[in-house]
Amino acid sequence: MRNNIIHIAAIALCVLVSACNNDIFTDVSDLPEYTDIMLEGDGGEWSSAFSRKGLTRIRINYNSPDEKEYISYYDSNGNPADSDCPASELGSIVYENPKLWYSIGFVGDMIYIRSNYNASSDTEFSLQLDYESGETKNIKVNISEGENLQFVFWTPRGDLKLDEDIDRVTHTTSLTNNSSLSQKIEIMPFLDSRCTDMAMPADFWARGLTVDMPMLTFNGSEWYWNEYHDIVLGRQRTFTPSRYLNTKITVDVPAYTKAKVTYTLYYTRATQDAEITFYNSVQNLTYDVPVSFTSVYATSFEYNVAYE
């Protein structure tokens, strides 16, 4: 996090810029019960008059409890505070991580809200002002998408770990041959497999980012890194493998015979730690994010045939 001087300077700058535009000032009585505003992701600003008389609490409502670690409170002197800071002493609220940075400043009877950057998709939060009269003012803030974070590169850390036979899935198929000629059953066992993979970042802010990057992949004989498009960090993919579907079971079925084929797929889990580097062009800074890669593939099978 930036130091208090930078946060105070950012709020002061917002005050200065806003003071040059009289159209955005309203009377205290004009602040409605509900206010809905839209900010540009990179540098958007908004301000309004509000009443401090009888104000008992100022609360920011975030979308997930995990976001709490990115929120900082400061009193009117720029000193660190907490969410229980009295409304009369609260100077600013700052939300900051490499993907999103916005600030809410309280100067006199004015509120100043600024989005420094939003390096992801559209986002929103709400601000709640509680009064001793029981009245509540709600401000919903929508922040548009700004310049996205750029994926720079990834670096594996440590060794690949394989956990074999973590699951078994059995399938059955049969063929009744009512003819006088021999027939065949051909089965591609891996066509029935359901594989999964996921890249889970250690930092909550990085979850949901979409990147093009390699994922742990099994090709029928070995594990390797294969490039994929539109990988969403923190989201599991489920799919049928495309690299070894031509593996085939062929069973002869004699005339006037029923053959029942039972085959079992054995699954292996591969895990690998790595580090992804992102670039924030607004800040001109890079960030390293620890990531755990996990892939589960059907890697082998067994089968047996019963004749009737």
Side-chain angles (χ1 to χ4, degrees):
M1 293 297 173
R2 294 175 173 79
N3 58 39
N4 295 344
I5 294 177
I6 295 178
H7 288 308
I8 295 172
I11 299 298
L13 177 61
C14 187
V15 173
L16 180 60
V17 173
S18 300
C20 297
N21 185 356
N22 294 328
D23 293 337
I24 60 177
F25 286 89
T26 62
D27 294 334
V28 173
S29 58
D30 289 340
L31 189 63
E33 182 180 357
Y34 292 98
T35 303
D36 199 329
I37 66 173
M38 173 65 76
L39 296 182
E40 292 184 6
D42 299 333
E45 297 174 342
W46 175 91
S47 67
S48 175
F50 77 111
S51 176
R52 281 187 180 267
K53 184 178 180 181
L55 182 61
T56 58
R57 188 177 183 187
I58 300 173
R59 292 184 287 174
I60 181 172
N61 298 314
Y62 34 83
N63 298 318
S64 168
D66 294 295
E67 295 185 87
K68 186 176 181 180
E69 65 176 293
Y70 306 120
I71 297 179
S72 300
Y73 296 84
Y74 300 89
D75 64 22
S76 55
N77 294 318
N79 299 312
D82 56 38
S83 58
D84 295 324
C85 180
S88 60
E89 300 176 13
L90 185 60
S92 64
I93 302 173
V94 177
Y95 182 105
E96 182 183 6
N97 61 44
K99 186 171 66 175
L100 177 63
W101 190 107
Y102 61 79
S103 62
I104 308 162
F106 307 95
V107 181
D109 290 329
M110 294 295 298
I111 300 177
Y112 301 91
I113 302 178
R114 173 183 171 84
S115 172
N116 191 30
Y117 58 79
N118 179 22
S120 184
S121 57
D122 295 352
T123 190
E124 65 180 43
F125 67 91
S126 61
L127 189 67
Q128 184 173 315
L129 310 179
D130 297 328
Y131 291 85
E132 59 184 14
S133 64
E135 185 180 17
T136 298
K137 301 290 187 180
N138 295 279
I139 302 174
K140 181 181 178 183
V141 182
N142 305 277
I143 304 177
S144 64
E145 181 177 348
E147 188 70 25
N148 288 340
L149 286 176
Q150 300 172 26
F151 173 80
V152 181
F153 55 83
W154 67 282
T155 306
R157 303 295 187 193
D159 298 325
L160 175 67
K161 178 182 178 183
L162 298 179
D163 296 309
E164 298 181 347
D165 198 12
I166 63 165
D167 193 18
R168 301 180 182 185
V169 179
T170 299
H171 302 269
T172 300
T173 189
S174 63
L175 173 66
T176 300
N177 183 3
N178 291 318
S179 71
S180 59
L181 301 176
S182 177
Q183 297 186 16
K184 294 181 183 295
I185 300 177
E186 292 187 344
I187 302 169
M188 294 181 177
F190 293 113
L191 191 62
D192 294 319
S193 67
R194 289 295 177 265
C195 307
T196 64
D197 65 11
M198 181 168 59
M200 176 60 75
D203 298 323
F204 176 79
W205 66 262
R207 298 176 191 177
L209 291 175
T210 301
V211 296
D212 297 338
M213 67 178 188
M215 298 289 284
L216 277 171
T217 306
F218 185 72
N219 66 3
S221 59
E222 64 180 358
W223 292 90
Y224 71 108
W225 293 94
N226 187 54
E227 188 79 19
Y228 290 95
H229 296 290
D230 298 330
I231 298 298
V232 180
L233 298 184
R235 182 181 300 174
Q236 179 175 282
R237 299 192 309 163
T238 301
F239 53 91
T240 298
S242 59
R243 301 287 176 175
Y244 54 107
L245 294 182
N246 56 352
T247 301
K248 187 181 297 185
I249 299 172
T250 302
V251 175
D252 292 322
V253 184
Y256 306 112
T257 301
K258 178 181 179 180
K260 180 179 179 182
V261 182
T262 301
Y263 56 98
T264 300
L265 298 174
Y266 295 86
Y267 286 79
T268 297
R269 178 173 56 235
T271 56
Q272 173 78 64
D273 291 332
E275 193 170 74
I276 295 178
T277 300
F278 289 100
Y279 173 68
N280 185 317
S281 61
V282 176
Q283 293 181 292
N284 193 27
L285 293 174
T286 58
Y287 296 92
D288 296 327
V289 183
V291 177
S292 177
F293 289 85
T294 303
S295 296
V296 176
Y297 276 73
T299 54
S300 61
F301 67 92
E302 291 181 343
Y303 75 97
N304 62 73
V305 183
Y307 292 99
E308 299 178 3

